[in-house]
Amino acid sequence: MNKKIAGLTTALLAIALTTAGAVAPVSAETTAPTSSATSTPNAAASSAPETTPSATPTEAPAATQPAAAPTEAPAAAPTAAPAAAPSATPAPAAAVEPTPAATSAQAAPTASPAPAKSPVTAKAKTAVKTAAPACIPDSAISYTYAPEDNNGVVTVKAVAGSTGVLCQPLYVVATSWKFTTNDYWPQARDIVNALPAITTPGVYHYGATVTCGQGDIYAGRSPVPYPTAVLNAPSDPYKEVFLSSMGFGGVGTTVTLTPDCYTPPKVTPVTPTAKPISACDTDGSIVVPADTATIDYTLTGNGKTGINTVTAKAIAPAVLVGYPAGGWTFNLGQRYTCPTPPVVTPTTPTATPITACGTDGSIVVPADTATIDYTLTGNGKTGINTVTAKGIAPAVLAGYPAGGWTFDLGQRFECPPVVTPTTPVATIITACGTDGSIVVPADTATIDYTLTGNGKTGINTVTAVAIAPAVLTGYPAGGWTFDLGQRYECPPVVTPATPTATIITACGTDGSIAVPADTATIDYTLTGNGKTGINTVTAVAIAPAVLTGYPAGGWTFDLGQRTECPTPPQTVVAAADVTAQTCPTDGAETLDGATLTGDQLSDTADSVTPISGKIHVAPAAHVSYTINGAPVTSEYTNVPPGTYTVVATADAGYALLGTGSWTLVVDPADCLPTFAAWEADAFATDPSCVDGAVAGGNITVVFPEGAESAVRYFIGSTEVTSAVTAVAPGTYTVRAIPRNATDTILGGGVFTLTVAAAPTGCLTLTEVPGTPGTPTLATTGSNVAPELGIAALLLLLGAAAVFARRRNHSTAE
């Protein structure tokens, strides 16, 4: 506080200012306390006695008019609001706005008041003796207040025979403020301590510490509004009601001021700069500092010629330091006209920026003349370069850009080494129970290789990144992408038991078939009556098992027809040529006419199991043969190496003469390993026009005839089970994989197929005028000749039968 505040001789009293729409508003009180254990200059100068409250609790005393304050201090209205009359029923407590955590320190009421410095106490007023009240009257309320600490206690005494509740609740809010200038006003809110509603007997402590400003204790019979952020003056912006104005027992006003404590901020102004006139046809100038929150700058003069003054003024509460009396004065001189000089136009220089590695840029600077000097700033090869021109007096330049010509030639950069990445190698999955693989090139000093994917299945990508400063060449955009296919486990392989048949060999008898019993992996089925005629036994694997060593179509037996015995029977002789043949050799033909080659007779994956040999049985009339009980249906029977028994049986009504049984040996030492090699094929069909509409493209795969399940096809990573699959235009990888791990695919079984884009125009059939029912081709969206449309239609109507044959390279003649 400055000296004029300390010299105040009267207190600033509360001003009753009604705010529209506010509920019981309050503000700071400026009346100094009437008594204090320790008085401050402000407290002493502003002390003024309060009017003793009336004995009646329903009225608040009027505030005493303060002595006239010096004109420097803010005026205060002398009025105070009366307290509200008590009601028979206590008013409900209302919520008080919470105190901001950053600016307030709440003090909860305690059972006994905190000790205060020199508290001023007063005896409670004696209430008029009346009948026992239904509620506790205000006469039971008293308070103490210590102005030096801005705190005290409110005491509510118990009244015998009462309800134990005040007739009206009491609300108390302690607030402290801080000075913001070297005068009283305005003040900023500092600490707020709002007590809960006081309704029952007890001792309630209140207080808000004052650091440098004013302390106020507000009160009311309804919730006291939360103090605003700034107190501009007494009762501004809201009406003030202090605890001391409520008419309770107590001494001294509940408002206090701290001693002088405010120190205004000191600010140093910036010195303006001036540029006097130094050339003809030019003005001078003054750079006036920009205004700040604490300093206003003012220029007196035109800022171009003559005498000019710049002054600075501090914005309260700041004060200036280091400021010359009267400000800063500058004489910019007087403007004068230049004589007419010769005018010359400089030549524009040319520049060549750097556009390639290992090269410099260049600038062609014009040669100096008798009237112009040219200057190059920069090395003329790289970076920023500026060419300036200067007229040689008295010549002046025309058509000259301010600052000259500036060129950015760029930075020289050396040519990076060019490296070619190594192409990775991928192995695609072609057999069950196996993974694919990718051989990623090893990183080098100039190339980093990265594999995206697991390197075993599905889509995998290998990318290469050059290590600076190297750059790549011969590198496909996006790297190398491989579809390794999906791993699939090998199904369990089971070998079915061969059924045995007893063929009718004598008249008056039936044949029979011994069908193997079903197992957990194989179901057997007999088709036929099992006694006569053609009978077939088939075996079906129970998924996931697959069969091996199973003849296509199963086992077929002709048991013959039952006949009655003739009297006497006719005699027949079995064939003399029943022999075991050796295994096939390179160049030999199989039974179906195909020629075997050496590579088809060997299998590096299976060098143990030999291929089949054969048994030759010459046919004879009325005689049937079995090999180990199996009927012989062909002159040559393919068999694996081993020992076999061939039995001849005469037809019914005939008797066999001579040899009827032979034991034959097929030597495994003479036979090569066996395996099944399957042919596979796949082709693409492009989209075409069919009857005016576009027929989509497709991919066709060929399954082996009679053994369709032996070969699996995949388009990309998707397995297909039908011969024809519709696809969108594009390039596809088709793989054929044998279902049996011991088999193989002739030719590798990998096909890269491309389906072209759909045609842009189509042909439709129309009727030839005058010839009903005779169609011709009309173009739709195309200028194609009708003959071409007919040809396209015929291509679509034609179909090519595709067959695949399983070659069992274990058989030969």
Side-chain angles (χ1 to χ4, degrees), residues 31-132:
T31 304
T34 57
S35 66
S36 163
T38 302
S39 64
T40 63
N42 283 340
S46 60
S47 62
E50 283 192 337
T51 302
T52 301
S54 170
T56 305
T58 58
E59 296 180 356
T64 305
Q65 292 285 351
T71 57
E72 295 86 342
T79 60
S87 62
T89 302
V96 179
E97 180 179 353
T99 304
T103 61
S104 67
Q106 297 288 350
T110 61
S112 61
K117 295 180 181 179
S118 302
V120 179
T121 60
K123 294 182 178 179
K125 299 172 186 177
T126 302
V128 177
K129 294 182 178 180
T130 60

Side-chain angles (χ1 to χ4, degrees), residues 417-717:
V418 178
V419 292
T420 302
T422 301
T423 301
V425 178
T427 301
I428 299 171
I429 295 172
T430 58
C432 61
T434 62
D435 291 326
S437 64
I438 295 179
V439 179
V440 180
D443 292 341
T444 67
T446 55
I447 305 177
D448 276 339
Y449 295 89
T450 301
L451 170 65
T452 302
N454 60 17
K456 297 179 180 180
T457 62
I459 302 299
N460 290 260
T461 300
V462 179
T463 55
V465 176
I467 300 174
V471 294
L472 297 178
T473 184
Y475 175 65
W480 300 272
T481 298
F482 305 96
D483 185 354
L484 301 182
Q486 298 302 317
R487 179 186 175 98
Y488 59 99
E489 298 307 321
C490 298
V493 178
V494 292
T495 302
T498 302
T500 58
T502 301
I503 300 173
I504 296 173
T505 58
C507 57
T509 62
D510 289 328
S512 65
I513 295 178
V515 179
D518 291 341
T519 69
T521 56
I522 305 177
D523 278 341
Y524 296 90
T525 302
L526 169 65
T527 302
N529 59 18
K531 296 179 180 181
T532 62
I534 302 299
N535 290 259
T536 301
V537 178
T538 55
V540 176
I542 300 174
V546 294
L547 296 178
T548 184
Y550 175 65
W555 301 271
T556 299
F557 306 97
D558 186 352
L559 302 181
Q561 298 301 318
R562 178 184 177 93
T563 61
E564 297 305 323
C565 297
T567 303
Q570 301 182 46
T571 59
V572 293
V573 178
D577 187 5
V578 177
T579 58
Q581 304 296 318
T582 59
C583 296
T585 59
D586 191 8
E589 286 190 348
T590 62
L591 294 179
D592 57 5
T595 300
L596 295 174
T597 61
D599 60 334
Q600 294 171 319
L601 291 172
S602 63
D603 182 12
T604 57
D606 184 358
S607 60
V608 178
T609 305
I611 65 173
S612 299
K614 65 182 186 318
I615 292 176
H616 178 242
V617 177
H622 304 293
V623 179
S624 60
Y625 298 88
T626 62
I627 299 176
N628 286 353
V632 175
T633 59
S634 175
E635 184 175 355
Y636 290 91
T637 302
N638 298 316
V639 294
T643 300
Y644 298 88
T645 299
V646 179
V647 175
T649 304
D651 292 343
Y654 295 88
L656 185 66
L657 296 179
T659 302
S661 177
W662 300 265
T663 298
L664 306 175
V665 176
V666 176
D667 189 356
D670 299 332
C671 298
L672 295 173
T674 184
F675 63 97
W678 301 97
E679 290 183 343
D681 194 13
F683 56 90
T685 302
D686 294 334
S688 58
C689 295
V690 177
D691 215 15
V694 175
N698 57 68
I699 290 177
T700 301
V701 299
V702 180
F703 292 93
E705 182 182 14
E708 286 77 10
S709 64
V711 177
R712 303 170 67 192
Y713 283 92
F714 291 82
I715 299 178
S717 60

Side-chain angles (χ1 to χ4, degrees), residues 136-137 140-142 154-158 166 170 198-204:
I136 299 176
I141 303 174
S142 62
V154 173
T155 302
V156 179
K157 293 183 177 181
L166 285 172
L170 176 62
I198 300 173
T199 59
T200 59
V203 178
Y204 302 88

Side-chain angles (χ1 to χ4, degrees), residues 347-354 361-366 375-388 401 403-411:
T347 302
T348 301
T350 58
T352 302
I354 295 172
S362 63
I363 295 178
V364 178
V365 181
T375 301
L376 169 64
T377 302
N379 60 15
K381 297 179 179 180
T382 62
I384 303 299
N385 291 261
T386 301
V387 178
T388 56
W405 300 272
T406 298
F407 306 95
D408 186 354
L409 301 181
Q411 297 302 317

